[in-house]
Amino acid sequence: MKIEQKVKQTLKKIKLNKKEKIIVALSGGKDSTVTAYLLKKLGYNIEGFHINLRIGKYSEDCLEAIEKLCKDLKIKLHVYDMKNEMGSGMCYLRTSIQSSPGKGRLKNCAICGVIKKWILNREVRKLKADKIATGHNLDDEAQTFLMNIFKGSPKLSVNSGPITLNMHDEKFIPRIKPLFYVAENDIREYSKKNKLPVNYGACPCALDSYRIQVRKFLDTLSKKDKENIVKNFDKLLKKISKSKDDKITYCEMCGEPSRNNICKKCELMKIV
Ligand code: SF4
Ligand SMILES: [Zn+2]
C-alpha cells in the first residue's frame, strides 16, 4: 500500500479532525518532515515546532531544513532555543547529568528524549494546540516495543500506538504518530522522491548501543515481519491499556503532568 493511503487510514482510525490545531514536532529529519508534508497535503491544520538542541553544525543544518520546509508549506514555525530558554544546549546539559552520582550510565538519547518530551508538552500547551504529531515510524515502534519486552516491561509501551491512550488530563497534549504503520525505508524513498528539505545527516550524539543492537536485529527481518510485530503490539496494547493504572498527578517541582510525584525530567535535573 502507498504511504499516503497508509497515513490516511491511520488518521481515520484515530479520528483526527481537520479543524483541530496540530503542532508537528519537527526535528529536521526525514520522518517529521514527511509527517508535516503529508498532514498539510491531506488538508489538516498544522503548525511546526522545533527544539533547537544546539548540537553544533548538526542543529544548524536541521534548523535550515525546517525553515525551508515551513516556508514551502506556508505554515507557521515556532522555535524553542534550548540555550536561550534553559541556559545551555543539550550536550552540556546531558554531560552534567551523566557526571552526577548514579546517572553515569544513562544513555544520551534517553536523557535527550525525556527533556524534549517535557519541553514539547509544556510549550505546545501554551500554543493552545489540540494534538502533537511526531514522526515515529514502524521501525521505531517495533524497536521500542521489542526493547520493552526484552527489559521485561511491556507496559512501558502503553503510551505507544498511533495515538496516546490513558493520559487524559487537561495539561497533557495527546500525541499522534501518523507514520506509525510506515516503514523507514519507504519514508526515505518518499522524501527523496518529493525532494523535501531534510537533514539526512545523523545526530552526533546518537550513541544508544542497545537500540542500535535491536535495530540491527530488526533489519534482518522483512518489512512484513516488522508490520506484524507492530500490528500484534496494537492488539496487545488494547488489553494492556485496560489494565494500566490511569493515575496522573502533577510534578511537585515543575507542575507538569506526571505518573510520579516528581516527573522524569526533574528527576534527571534535580541533582545537576
Ligand atoms: S539522536 Fe538521540 S541525542 Fe540526538 S537528537 Fe535524537 S534523541 Fe537526542
Ligand atoms: Zn517536573
Side-chain angles (χ1 to χ4, degrees):
M1 197 194 292
K2 290 243 173 69
I3 175 167
E4 293 187 14
Q5 278 164 286
K6 269 193 187 167
V7 169
K8 256 192 209 172
Q9 266 187 5
T10 307
L11 299 177
K12 198 172 159 202
K13 185 174 165 178
I14 62 174
K15 301 188 179 73
L16 193 64
N17 187 317
K18 291 198 172 160
K19 287 192 185 130
E20 288 180 281
K21 178 171 169 177
I22 301 156
I23 297 283
V24 185
L26 295 168
S27 68
K30 63 185 185 328
D31 305 303
S32 54
T33 303
V34 168
T35 302
Y37 179 81
L38 282 174
L39 284 172
K40 179 75 181 176
K41 188 172 179 188
L42 297 171
Y44 288 91
N45 171 21
I46 65 164
E47 290 179 11
F49 182 85
H50 173 60
I51 302 174
N52 185 346
L53 302 170
R54 296 286 200 122
I55 308 181
K57 171 90 167 63
Y58 170 74
S59 289
E60 287 167 21
D61 293 348
C62 288
L63 184 58
E64 196 184 315
I66 291 167
E67 281 173 343
K68 171 143 183 19
L69 175 79
C70 292
K71 200 168 160 225
D72 291 351
L73 296 183
K74 298 187 177 59
I75 61 170
K76 196 167 177 180
L77 170 64
H78 308 268
V79 178
Y80 179 97
D81 188 313
M82 271 193 74
K83 206 161 188 173
N84 297 344
E85 304 286 341
M86 297 179 94
S88 60
M90 185 57 81
C91 300
Y92 180 79
L93 198 59
R94 193 197 66 231
T95 319
S96 315
I97 290 169
Q98 286 164 332
S99 54
S100 307
K103 305 279 175 184
R105 293 176 67 117
L106 288 175
K107 303 275 195 301
N108 292 357
C109 293
I111 296 174
C112 182
V114 165
I115 295 173
K116 283 193 299 189
K117 252 189 202 169
W118 182 88
I119 296 172
L120 195 59
N121 189 65
R122 201 181 58 146
E123 296 304 312
V124 168
R125 191 176 64 235
K126 288 184 197 161
L127 298 172
K128 302 199 184 324
D130 298 297
K131 301 256 171 15
I132 296 171
T134 64
H136 293 89
N137 61 43
L138 182 87
D139 293 62
D140 297 327
E141 296 304 319
Q143 280 160 28
T144 305
F145 181 52
L146 281 191
M147 282 165 70
N148 287 338
I149 296 248
F150 294 152
K151 282 185 208 154
S153 31
K155 278 192 177 185
L156 286 177
S157 295
V158 79
N159 281 324
S160 275
I163 184 163
T164 39
L165 300 165
N166 283 351
M167 287 288 280
H168 305 294
D169 183 90
E170 56 176 17
K171 287 180 95 176
F172 178 78
I173 313 298
R175 289 192 296 267
I176 59 165
K177 299 171 183 170
L179 302 179
F180 190 82
Y181 299 103
V182 186
E184 186 167 8
N185 285 339
D186 294 344
I187 297 169
R188 187 176 294 104
E189 204 178 288
Y190 185 86
S191 71
K192 290 204 164 153
K193 203 174 109 200
N194 287 283
K195 298 189 171 54
L196 300 182
V198 166
N199 178 11
Y200 290 99
C203 169
C205 306
L207 300 170
D208 184 342
S209 53
Y210 189 49
R211 184 173 281 271
I212 292 169
Q213 234 175 303
V214 175
R215 178 182 298 158
K216 277 188 185 154
F217 163 68
L218 276 167
D219 283 346
T220 64
L221 304 181
S222 67
K223 188 161 107 184
K224 190 86 209 130
D225 283 337
K226 286 187 220 170
E227 277 173 1
N228 282 337
I229 291 176
V230 169
K231 275 184 191 147
N232 287 321
F233 154 63
D234 230 8
K235 282 185 211 154
L236 201 71
L237 186 67
K238 288 187 189 96
K239 289 186 185 146
I240 301 174
S241 42
K242 274 188 195 131
S243 65
K244 176 89 182 168
D245 183 7
D246 258 334
K247 189 174 130 302
I248 291 187
T249 175
Y250 297 113
C251 172
E252 285 170 7
M253 295 179 78
C254 68
E256 286 300 301
S258 168
R259 292 204 186 275
N260 300 306
N261 293 344
I262 296 182
C263 76
K264 285 184 184 171
K265 173 257 175 195
C266 291
E267 269 300 334
L268 281 177
M269 291 183 59
K270 70 178 176 181
I271 42 156
V272 178

